[in-house]
Amino acid sequence: MTIRVRRVAAACALGAALTACGAPSAPHASRPAPSAPSAAVSRPPTLAPGPAGLTPVFKNGPRVDGKTVALTFDADMTADEGPRAAAGEHFDNPQLISTLRTLKVPATVFMTGRWADEYPAEAHAIGRDPQFEIANHSYSHYAFTGDCYGLPTVSPDRMKADVERAYTAFKKAGVPNAMPYFRFPGGCYDRQALKTLSAVGVTAVQWDVVSGDAFATDSDAVAQQVLDGVKPGSVVVMHCTRSAAPATERAVRMIVPELRKKGYRFVKVSELIGATDRHR
């Protein structure tokens, strides 16, 4: 049985051009903890395993728990894009992070380990800012299924190691508390992938609103697509990659005030997951 989530046409090319996001090494316990836990720090909320112990999948929060919305940003860079970065291509987007800080918008950044290796100072700054949380987007940004927008694939026997390698990269960059959340590259997964990652102890995080910012140059269109799609509890997928999502920062400057006018409150994914768990 295949369980696969696809992005709309505007984002379909994403897998091939946007690449890896990662986090520090996952511990050997059932839930990844990229740094030594403190007795005073509570564990982030996660969902209980699915049927047969499969990795649980989260798509959106409760629709009846107030007007909350989570903006999420994939910091993509594939394992083999180092030469492009060395030649001057920008896979980061510091202006976007600055804008989120200025607008006081909490956000979840799904980062590949390769991105953290390339931009350790930025990963460190984002990871230590309480306004943000960093989650895992794999190390390599290779697909965990076949036929996923042309992405290279990770074999089942390497999936767990790829996720844990991302957590190791986060720790190396100085991210103190990467979250036990994982976003599949390209949004593609199947039962085999969910079964394999159950040993890591993560909650897989998808989305219910596609921004269409991948490769888009029209920030107005991106903003309108988000505004048209958001409902209470929505998770919006966007990108933190200048070269492949150049319109995102401008779109965010339009999206945030409009949603606030409608009464929405911006939250991190962890808050939505916590609310979902309380409603079970």
Side-chain angles (χ1 to χ4, degrees):
M1 176 178 67
T2 298
I3 313 167
R4 182 167 298 164
V5 177
R6 297 296 196 189
R7 302 182 185 184
V8 295
C12 284
L14 172 66
L18 294 186
T19 44
C21 283
S25 60
H28 297 295
S30 61
R31 183 178 296 168
S35 60
S38 164
V41 178
S42 60
R43 287 182 178 272
T46 54
L47 297 183
L54 296 180
T55 297
V57 179
F58 176 77
K59 182 178 178 182
N60 59 267
R63 302 299 193 190
V64 294
D65 202 26
K67 284 188 168 183
T68 55
V69 58
L71 298 186
T72 70
F73 298 89
D74 292 357
D76 291 337
M77 185 176 179
T78 57
D80 55 1
E81 289 184 332
R84 289 168 55 181
E89 185 169 347
H90 296 286
F91 296 93
D92 62 342
N93 194 339
Q95 183 59 47
L96 170 62
I97 299 301
S98 177
T99 294
L100 291 169
R101 287 185 172 122
T102 298
L103 295 174
K104 296 180 171 53
V105 176
T108 304
V109 179
F110 285 87
M111 187 179 293
T112 63
R114 183 63 186 86
W115 195 99
D117 283 346
E118 188 69 29
Y119 304 106
E122 292 181 53
H124 177 271
I126 296 168
R128 289 186 174 271
D129 187 334
Q131 184 174 318
F132 303 107
E133 59 188 15
I134 288 179
N136 196 315
H137 195 31
S138 81
Y139 181 84
S140 62
H141 202 264
Y142 289 176
F144 283 55
T145 69
D147 187 26
C148 184
Y149 308 122
L151 285 172
T153 58
V154 177
S155 62
D157 64 324
R158 295 297 303 162
M159 290 177 183
K160 180 174 179 286
D162 189 80
V163 175
E164 291 177 336
R165 186 182 179 190
Y167 280 115
T168 299
F170 295 162
K171 181 180 286 187
K172 181 180 177 182
V175 175
N177 294 297
M179 305 300 282
Y181 308 143
F182 177 72
R183 175 164 285 167
F184 286 97
C188 304
Y189 65 93
D190 57 18
R191 185 181 180 87
Q192 175 65 60
L194 294 178
K195 181 178 180 181
T196 300
L197 293 191
S198 63
V200 185
V202 293
T203 293
V205 177
Q206 297 288 101
W207 54 83
D208 66 321
V209 178
V210 177
S211 69
D213 67 336
F215 311 110
T217 57
D218 186 343
S219 55
D220 291 324
V222 172
Q224 194 60 55
Q225 185 155 318
V226 172
L227 294 172
D228 288 345
V230 165
K231 300 178 181 67
S234 280
V235 176
V236 181
V237 59
M238 306 184 82
H239 297 88
C240 186
T241 313
R242 269 183 285 175
S243 62
T248 305
E249 189 272 336
R250 296 191 303 276
V252 164
R253 284 191 271 118
M254 291 183 274
I255 291 165
V256 170
E258 288 301 315
L259 285 179
R260 281 178 170 157
K261 286 179 186 176
K262 296 179 180 181
Y264 279 92
R265 178 172 65 91
F266 294 95
V267 300
K268 303 171 193 173
V269 164
S270 56
E271 183 168 334
L272 290 184
I273 290 179
T276 299
D277 193 48
R278 290 193 299 272
H279 278 76
R280 287 179 180 270

